[in-house]
Amino acid sequence: MGWTLLILLVVLTVVHGNPTVMVRTGSGPTVGFDQHPNSVPLGEDIQTTTEVVEEVMTTGVLNPSHYPARRAATVVQHYLNTRYGSPYRWIFLSTVHSGSAEVGVEVEDQHTLGSVSGQCSAELFFPGGEGQSAPQVQASCEGLHQSNTTAQEEAFYQQHRASNNLVSGNNIPDSYGHMEPSMKPFWQLGGVASSFIMLRESNESTLYNMAQVANFTQLETEKDQLRFNYHVLLHEMISQEIIHWKLLVTWSPEQGVQVLQTELQPKCHHCEAPPNTTN
Amino acid sequence: MMKGLLVLTVLFVAIFGKETFEGDKVLRITAKNEVQLTLLKDLAEMEHLQLDVWMEPIDLSTPVDIRVPFTSLQTVKAFLETEDIPYSVMIMDLQVMLDEEKEQRLSAARATEPRTTDDYNYTNYHNGDEIYSFQDMLVAENPKLVSKIVIGQSYEGRPLNVLKFSTGGTNRRGIWINTGIHSREWITQASGTWFAKKIVTDYGHDATLTAILDNMDIFLEIVTNPDGYNYSHKTNRMWRKTRKPNPGSSCVGTDPNRNWDAGFGTAGSSGNPCDQTYRGPKAHSESEVKSIVDFVKSHGNLKAFIDIHSYSQRLMYPYGYTATPCNDQRELHDLARKAITGLASLYGTSFRYGSVMTTIYRASGISIDWSYNQGIKYSYTFELRDTGRYGFILPANQIIPTAKEAWLALMAIMEHTKDNTN
């Protein structure tokens, strides 16, 4: 059966001004998964005169309007969050602009409430075969550190490291998309921590986002790391499933976000809790 | 009710720093003679009893109402009985009564929410009942322009309401728009509500919209999956499907956007009732879907069919069930480009566009594939904001910007439909 390879050279650029990205397929065996518009077998009578499919087949360029580019870029986003994310830095892709190959990375900066940009180039490799393996990503970025979140992170860290006032929260955001401002860093931390799982679970047929932090509880600080139990809801776009995970998360400004334990929660059809349940 | 109101009024005046009235009773005492009346006045003045006189001892014909704190009850009752002064208990437990009053007031306040579509709050999410009230208000306020058609019932018996916007004619060309077929996509029902108001506001004022409505009718189903919507408010915010049980399974619901008769049962939907993309036992098994199918077929003159979802910021045309491009791909693609360019002009929000298959994933049994195969050329599906940060739980303060920008895209599609069909 061999390996299903999808090698992309994804150059992620910035949201500010005019993004200028190229997305190219690398060399290697033809993409194997059968939903891909590229993989129309030669024998089939296609009569395609549309620019959409033609463009992909003749130039070999991965159309950023098409889903493979989006899925790949999202995996890179998850990877970047595991590397650079914090309660004050939750990295998101900007949307892909139609018609030209543009993918941007948007970094949220808590104070300025704007987006700061960085330029990343990444290589992404989806291993196939037996045994679900996490995608392999190599990326290097410039400019991500422009967004200086150090002061906020340090203040947050100092505020919460003493164990006499452990924080917890649930339903972040709530059903109406609302959250208390004090909860926002915990939401973002949940998103970054979720990225570890989302990265690990991703393949060519998935697209993950964190849907909600069901709840989190701060535990005693250990080895200078803030520690939390998180229960997060992930949304997988292709199956449309909501997947529950519990995580043990640590963070400090120096060590960044670490996920020590993950536990998939069973898909339970009967145990639907009312929206405001605290677990 | 009146008595309650009086009690409340009196109470507001009478309260001094007391937190709770648990166990307190209000006694109505009827003095039989002057001697007893004097005794009552003395009683009322005994400070340690902390009696709270509501109706003063004046004369023999008027009863005396006194709130007796729980701690003084035994003493007061003993006194009244010893002196043979008749009394009755007017209020058994004041705190209980206050709690009930409060609850009544709150629910009265809730029930008297917006009286007109002008004081309806478009900047927040509303439940199904509130949206249905909105619809009725809109019709009442615009009887010449708007009417409500009930096209069927949901599994749990809720009406499936469609607003018809029409300036007359007989079976004019029509545009169909629905929101909320997937109940957790709350931004869509909220946007649909905003669209409804926008239409009545702009008719007669915006030239393009006026021209559209002078020639065509618009049909808008805001809560396409009311059972799911109710469930997403009360029980599970992330509920997507209908609420019809599946025989032989503990899992409830069918994905109403995999239930249409277009590539039904093929790859791009699930045969497992426990899955979010479960297609259902057969095409059009869900009344929420069948009702639209029946309506569309009996109307016979719809020229556009727009099914609105969230999230991921896309505008898509058929097909989802096959990679074979639809016959009108070129035109639909160009119109989509025009529509999302208009959309982006407002806030810079960027939408991708293309066929369902190439843009998002293979999906079978979807609404717009069916409507397109019925001959409704301008079949589009939207995925509104955002791209994943908030996902389904989009903050309410984004409702109006989202609706406004989407409206620009809708207008482009509707105008093109008007100009290119007959």
Side-chain angles (χ1 to χ4, degrees), chain A residues 50 66-67 70-71 92 95-96 98 174-177 187 209 235 237 240-241 267 269-270 272-273 275, chain B residues 184 231 234-235 237 240 250-251 274 276 311 313 329 350 352-353 357-358 360-361 387 389 393 396:
Chain A
T50 64
H66 294 178
Y67 63 73
R70 179 75 193 178
R71 292 182 198 175
F92 273 94
T95 54
V96 178
S98 59
D174 69 12
S175 291
Y176 303 82
W187 174 58
N209 286 293
H235 173 232
M237 181 78 73
Q240 292 292 348
E241 297 293 333
K267 183 176 170 181
H269 311 299
H270 309 289
E272 279 141 351
Chain B
R184 62 190 178 195
Y231 198 74
K234 299 232 177 81
T235 311
R237 176 63 177 82
R240 165 185 169 92
S250 59
C251 299
C274 295
Q276 292 301 309
Y311 59 93
Q313 293 174 204
Q329 163 124 355
S350 167
R352 271 152 301 137
Y353 63 102
M357 172 70 122
T358 59
I360 191 166
Y361 43 43
T387 56
R389 183 190 297 270
I393 331 185

Side-chain angles (χ1 to χ4, degrees), chain B residues 342-350 385 400-406 408:
Chain B
L343 186 156
S345 70
L346 198 53
Y347 302 109
T349 308
S350 167
R385 293 193 191 180
I400 292 189
T402 303
K404 278 186 168 169
E405 66 192 11
L408 296 179

